[in-house]
Amino acid sequence: MHIKVLGPMTKSFDLLLQNTAIAAKKLKCNAKFEKVNDFTKVITYGVMALPALVIDERVVAYGSVLKVEEIMQIIQQLNN
């Protein structure tokens, strides 16, 4: 599983990254994380608000910081 967090280095960005890492760890996912701060790369995903969460090249959330439980649900849905 390849997980990307898109956006500038802000508190929201850091919190989304932390929550995603916790969710992946709780689910025992073998996840590779990537921080995408380059705006030219961010816009290729077509997100309208940041931070954004991309899992296996699918934008799963943007414009908010998801809770650990919400991220866990998304990961479980993608793995089914």
Side-chain angles (χ1 to χ4, degrees):
M1 178 175 288
H2 192 135
I3 299 173
K4 297 179 184 179
V5 179
L6 315 178
M9 299 297 282
T10 62
K11 287 183 182 180
S12 296
F13 176 94
D14 286 338
L15 187 56
L16 181 59
L17 183 62
Q18 288 174 5
N19 287 353
T20 305
I22 292 168
K25 186 174 181 178
K26 283 186 173 187
L27 292 172
K28 296 181 171 120
C29 290
N30 183 15
K32 178 182 172 190
F33 289 88
E34 184 178 348
K35 300 175 185 177
V36 181
N37 308 110
D38 182 353
F39 189 69
T40 56
K41 291 181 182 177
V42 169
I43 60 172
T44 64
Y45 289 94
V47 295
M48 303 305 282
L50 298 172
L53 181 61
V54 177
I55 299 176
D56 292 334
E57 294 305 313
R58 288 188 222 159
V59 177
V60 296
Y62 61 87
S64 65
V65 176
L66 299 177
K67 296 177 183 173
V68 172
E69 294 78 19
E70 294 172 315
I71 299 167
M72 288 173 67
Q73 287 177 341
I74 291 169
I75 292 172
Q76 288 171 328
Q77 289 172 351
L78 291 175
N79 283 333
N80 288 335

